Amino acid sequence: MSTVDQLVARTLGITEDRLTADLAYQSVREWDSLGHVALIVALEQEYGVEIGDDLMLELRTLGAVRAFADGLADPAAAAGPTAPAPRTGASDVTPLDGTVHRGLESVTFDQSAITLIDGAEGTLEYRGYSIHDLAEHASFEEVAHLLVHGHLPDAAALEVFAKQLRAARTLPAPVLDLVRSLAHAHPMEALRTCVSALGAFGARRAAGTDESYTEALEAGIELIARIPMIVAAHHAFRSGREPLWPREDAGHAEAFLTVLLGEKPTPAAVRVIDKGFVVHADHGSNASAFTARVAIGCRADMTAALTAAIAAFSGSVHGGAAERVIGLVDEVGTPENAEAHVAALRGRGEPVMGFGHRVYRTEDPRVRHLRASVVELSEERGDRTGLDILDAVATAMRPWQRHGVAANVDLYAGLSYRLLGLPDDLAVALFVVGRAPGWVAQALEQHANNVLIRPLLAYAGPRGLAYPAGAAR
């Protein structure tokens, strides 16, 4: 095996027999986005070169990597990156241009007026408004109205919307009983189950009729109000207490924290949670939003769409990552250990949680606001240990930032919740509370201009097999 093949196998953590001609980025689980960056860094270190973004995009097949290494060893023989050899074996359905976009990478499936993300520049806007302005100046209710209705509300419209949310907070008694019965379950399991149950207590439609846009909008607003109550009531029950319901005029963040903590929250806690909800409110066509669109695109109702989104979001490589990031603080222990810990993880080919994003090539624009919340809470409590550890990990990860592996939204989020005295397993559920308006907006946009989302698969299995004589029936 050549030196470069050994490097590829070692970096990706795969065996020699898997170095086939059609090995490419995203063709195997190990060669994911973080694995690709690890491979680029390993090539730079092995050959003493600097690989820019354009070349990094070309080095996405084993053939291209081999040609690159051969060119460095013998510039006269360099032919540049090459395409992988065609896949051998029987094939049934094949794309017209022969290209398979695994994970639908780089595929634009529709147009949207909700959220702008520029991964190269690190830009995030909700309906044209910068996340930086919204995080610093807007309340969650304003942002939810912006996403769901398409524009920022004036004072009168904001009051109407806030009243709708307040009126919808009360959970149907059977659903509250279900929340109580699931006190033993993980918060995300309880949330997924109870949101689904809400669908049995919504408005009744005539048999065979689909949910109208107006009905979907009304259901969406109810879900924005009720999802936080499910999360908070579940935490109360599993903590051995009855939920303390909020004042009727309490804002969204204050109401949520009142039920969650069983006491009136501090102004600092309300500010942190409100800002966190704003920052998390939407993020374009991520996996969970896409799932909501697929569901409502099939003419499932809004509750079904958000149940599907929650199920997708719970996965460890999507929202579930938020719960795993907080473990960094415990694993590292002290800021002085950060560099060695990062080196050990990368040496084993393991990701550093809280870094890297499928879209952003620079720091996630949401990070600064979540870090600011952690700074505020750390100073209020007189303990910067967790903050200093995460900052030290971020410093140790700087060499990777040049290749797009920068801090993401998960890095500081979990620590802010821990500083509020909340258990780590609530991190993902709190993310969902903030994301609910975005899912509703995405589902409504799909509903308004619907097309059934039905991608294709390129068949790569055998064909025309004869059924064996004497097979068991």
Side-chain angles (χ1 to χ4, degrees), residues 39-104:
L39 181 57
I40 297 301
V41 172
L43 288 168
E44 289 181 327
Q45 294 173 345
E46 177 72 22
Y47 296 102
V49 297
E50 185 172 301
I51 298 174
D53 284 351
D54 290 343
L55 182 55
M56 180 178 173
L57 291 173
E58 292 183 47
L59 298 176
R60 293 157 71 93
T61 68
L62 180 58
V65 172
R66 286 169 172 168
F68 170 74
D70 289 344
L72 292 175
D74 182 6
T82 59
R87 182 182 293 272
T88 58
S91 181
D92 188 358
V93 180
T94 304
L96 292 177
D97 65 355
T99 302
V100 175
H101 297 272
R102 297 200 73 238
L104 300 183

Side-chain angles (χ1 to χ4, degrees), residues 98-187:
T99 302
V100 175
H101 297 272
R102 297 200 73 238
L104 300 183
E105 184 186 22
S106 302
V107 173
T108 301
F109 73 91
D110 211 336
Q111 294 181 316
S112 176
I114 300 173
T115 297
L116 168 69
I117 302 172
D118 186 326
E121 297 296 326
T123 299
L124 174 61
E125 295 179 357
Y126 299 159
R127 298 197 185 274
Y129 294 94
S130 168
I131 189 62
H132 303 310
D133 290 338
L134 294 173
E136 293 301 324
H137 305 296
S139 68
F140 172 80
E141 288 89 339
E142 288 177 279
V143 170
H145 186 286
L146 170 67
L147 290 170
V148 172
H149 288 294
H151 58 88
L152 282 173
D154 58 20
L158 180 60
E159 179 57 25
V160 169
F161 187 68
K163 282 184 177 179
Q164 286 180 295
L165 291 175
R166 293 196 294 267
R169 282 178 190 154
T170 303
L171 297 174
V175 174
L176 187 61
D177 290 341
L178 179 59
V179 176
R180 187 192 307 270
S181 73
L182 294 172
H184 65 284
H186 187 281

